[in-house]
Amino acid sequence: MEIITAVRGFKDILPPETEKWRHVEETARKVFGAFGFHEIRIPLLEKTELFCRGIGETTDIVEKEMYTFLDRGEESLTLRPEATASVIRAYLEHAVHAAETVTRLFTIGPMFRRERPQKGRYRQFHQIDAEILGPDDPRTDAELILMLIHFLDRLGLAKLNLEINSLGCLECRPAFREAVISFLGSQAEELCGDCRRRLGTNPLRVFDCKVEKCGEIISRAPRLNSFICGDCRTHFEGVQEGLRLFGVPYRLNDQMVRGLDYYTRTTFEVTAEHLGAQNAVVGGGRYDHLVRDLGGPDIPGIGFAIGFERLISMIPESGEDAPQGPLLFIAALGEKAAERAFILGNRLRMNGVHVEMDYAGRSLKSQMKKADRLRCAYALILGEREIQDNKALLRNMRESAQEEVCLDDLENTIMTLAR
RNA sequence: GUGGGUGUAGCUCAAAUGGUCAGAGUGCCGGGUUGUGGCCCCGGAGGCUGAGGGUUCAAGUCCCUUCACUCACCCCA
């Protein structure tokens, strides 16, 4: 009979990989906590409508990448493709905005998008998501980015590029957009097929086309810089000033367009080399009208999403790759000894000591070999002879030295070692 | 959705032009003094060579189909 395999694009994360995951999560909790963020846990499933309104009907995500189904043939539900919409839904549903003016939330969990898998891209992938709702002061933007960069630093990540841009606001962006459309429309024949299509769907996206000829054309296209309004310009300068204050290196990229419709003003991206084609590790930006678009008051917000898998793949292999082994292996010889080992070992475990044992009744040699393979610090040899003398042999595996210990205070002896 | 690449033991990989080709290393289990690990030596288990069909006296090796994985496009974390 054939075994059942995981669904395409859905990955198992096995030990010791899970240790890395935990390390990243713990670092995030620590760093984000210091910046005043609290964790929120939100459902994986939402009403489809939430994402249509939140992310934008014409985005690729909504148009073709969502896992959507009818629940009992009645209500359309969708596995979340991103977290921001859900966070805001919860924020509004629980009227958090009524209780406080600034809300900082983060969440870590799986997202689902039905794309063709490739390096760094999976159908179930994980994001670390942080959102600040309430303030629109540029220092908020800078602070969020600062936290992000600090977090990446703490993980020992190098060779990362931070790029920032401002997309303008509802006042100034439309004019820019129109200018781009008419400019590109005038030479549509020169553009690649994809870009001709983009012209109708998301014209700004032509800016990051990889085809050479498109790049040439776009380099002559109008720039947001000449359309951006005074407020947006001031805001963006404020963000940069904040980053400079902390010496955060960044690169201005006025061709950076993000894929979600809701972004306004500040957008940013962290990319890394050697990640393959999917080189974006973090994407984020300001969304000053998303809360309103989802039916709430006009509260501005900003946030980012870190691609967990992409992040993990860059974490340097830690020097001490050999993780700490168990403190003790109990090698028992004979039925009576096995019984004592069973009791002692589990008592120690309940005291928080990592103990390993083997009930298969193997030879001492094979049990010692096991202790060694597991990298146990100590081995306790418990045989008929020892039990008779009310003793056991405690062997220090690293120093290859052993001593007799009395069975009566064995537990205390081991507990001492544990400290 | 569209292209390219790859599919042989748990893992990493060998098997010239189709003909003892089903192997190695590693891992796992056991043994090498009577109750003591690491190094070394020996042995064992484990593969219907992704699946199905075809060509041939003969197919991991050629052809077709299919599935899976993978990389890239699209798009994004």
Side-chain angles (χ1 to χ4, degrees):
Chain A
M1 193 152 82
E2 291 220 342
I3 61 165
I4 298 168
T5 57
V7 176
R8 157 172 247 189
F10 288 62
K11 299 292 175 196
D12 299 306
I13 303 146
L14 278 60
E17 193 70 1
T18 39
E19 299 299 325
K20 257 189 184 175
W21 279 63
R22 232 189 37 214
H23 174 236
V24 170
E25 285 173 13
E26 278 167 8
T27 305
R29 291 199 157 84
K30 214 173 290 172
V31 171
F32 293 7
F35 279 81
F37 283 74
H38 294 284
E39 182 173 9
I40 180 173
R41 301 202 183 191
I42 43 185
L44 271 57
L45 205 56
E46 298 276 1
K47 293 175 187 170
T48 303
E49 167 91 21
L50 175 67
F51 301 118
C52 295
R53 277 182 26 199
I55 302 171
E57 293 277 6
T58 63
T59 57
D60 275 38
I61 294 178
V62 172
E63 271 183 354
K64 51 191 195 196
E65 295 173 2
M66 297 203 301
Y67 280 100
T68 297
F69 64 95
L70 280 180
D71 181 26
R72 295 279 169 131
E74 289 172 9
E75 187 171 34
S76 180
L77 301 180
T78 294
L79 284 172
R80 63 180 188 193
E82 60 118 39
T84 305
S86 298
V87 169
I88 291 174
R89 194 223 78 232
Y91 172 80
L92 290 174
E93 191 165 337
H94 302 283
V96 178
H97 60 280
E100 57 190 25
T101 53
V102 178
T103 302
R104 299 165 199 262
L105 297 169
F106 75 92
T107 189
I108 303 175
M111 308 296 156
F112 305 86
R113 291 183 201 172
R114 202 181 181 294
E115 301 175 87
R116 186 84 168 259
Q118 73 182 72
K119 189 180 179 68
R121 194 174 75 184
Y122 313 101
R123 290 181 169 185
Q124 175 178 330
F125 61 100
H126 296 72
Q127 288 187 338
I128 303 174
D129 204 83
E131 314 285 350
I132 303 178
L133 293 156
D136 65 353
D137 188 289
R139 274 171 292 206
T140 301
D141 305 37
E143 186 174 289
L144 182 73
I145 296 172
L146 173 67
M147 176 178 87
L148 169 65
I149 298 303
H150 174 63
F151 167 65
L152 297 172
D153 268 1
R154 284 281 293 267
L155 290 174
L157 268 44
K159 287 191 203 154
L160 295 177
N161 317 302
L162 169 65
E163 298 185 332
I164 63 173
N165 189 24
S166 175
L167 294 181
C169 63
L170 295 183
E171 296 298 314
C172 52
R173 184 151 54 156
F176 168 61
R177 195 183 140 99
E178 284 312 310
V180 170
I181 290 174
S182 74
F183 170 82
L184 292 177
S186 71
Q187 39 201 307
E189 325 76 67
E190 306 284 323
L191 294 168
C192 71
D194 281 326
C195 284
R196 281 203 293 274
R197 180 180 52 76
R198 287 176 179 124
L199 207 45
T201 56
N202 193 345
L204 297 189
R205 200 144 264 306
V206 177
F207 275 98
D208 53 15
C209 180
K210 287 162 190 158
V211 176
E212 205 174 315
K213 204 194 295 171
C214 296
E216 246 171 67
I217 293 170
I218 210 70
S219 68
R220 299 194 306 270
R223 293 292 155 133
L224 179 63
N225 202 33
S226 43
F227 287 83
I228 198 168
C229 67
D231 284 352
C232 286
R233 187 183 303 278
T234 306
H235 187 273
F236 193 41
E237 278 163 6
V239 175
Q240 295 180 59
E241 202 179 303
L243 292 178
R244 279 196 298 269
L245 267 173
F246 288 92
V248 175
Y250 63 88
R251 200 169 70 78
L252 288 177
N253 179 359
D254 64 357
Q255 297 190 21
M256 185 177 71
V257 182
R258 311 236 58 259
L260 286 66
D261 279 359
Y262 52 62
Y263 287 120
T264 54
R265 291 191 165 173
T266 315
T267 55
F268 55 95
E269 212 170 85
V270 176
T271 57
E273 278 113 57
H274 312 302
L275 265 189
Q278 308 302 320
N279 65 349
V281 186
V282 186
R286 178 161 278 288
Y287 44 85
D288 284 338
H289 306 293
L290 179 57
V291 178
R292 186 196 64 195
D293 292 345
L294 287 173
D298 203 0
I299 295 173
I302 181 169
F304 63 70
I306 304 174
F308 211 120
E309 284 82 353
R310 293 180 189 179
L311 187 67
I312 287 272
S313 73
M314 299 190 321
I315 302 235
E317 296 302 326
S318 55
E320 47 336 331
D321 51 345
Q324 194 79 30
L327 180 75
L328 183 71
F329 187 95
I330 304 181
L333 295 162
E335 197 38 51
K336 221 181 279 177
E339 172 118 8
R340 291 295 287 264
F342 177 63
I343 294 167
L344 175 67
N346 284 305
R347 285 180 63 92
L348 287 166
R349 284 168 168 174
M350 287 189 281
N351 278 307
V353 182
H354 183 178
V355 179
E356 288 294 332
M357 299 170 268
D358 185 334
Y359 301 124
R362 296 181 211 278
S363 68
L364 179 59
K365 174 176 182 149
S366 93
Q367 294 194 64
M368 292 301 288
K369 196 175 280 188
K370 186 87 171 176
D372 185 56
R373 299 253 162 97
L374 291 171
R375 280 188 289 269
C376 294
Y378 294 88
L380 187 76
I381 299 165
L382 201 58
E384 305 289 354
R385 281 204 307 255
E386 285 75 17
I387 294 203
Q388 204 128 67
D389 300 343
N390 199 39
K391 279 190 241 163
L393 287 172
L394 183 61
R395 182 175 179 82
N396 184 322
M397 297 295 280
R398 308 218 204 297
E399 290 167 20
S400 300
Q402 61 191 43
E403 57 177 351
E404 289 186 340
V405 290
C406 179
L407 277 185
D408 296 330
D409 42 41
L410 194 51
E411 227 174 296
N412 284 333
T413 311
I414 306 295
M415 289 307 291
T416 310
L417 293 177
R419 287 202 298 272

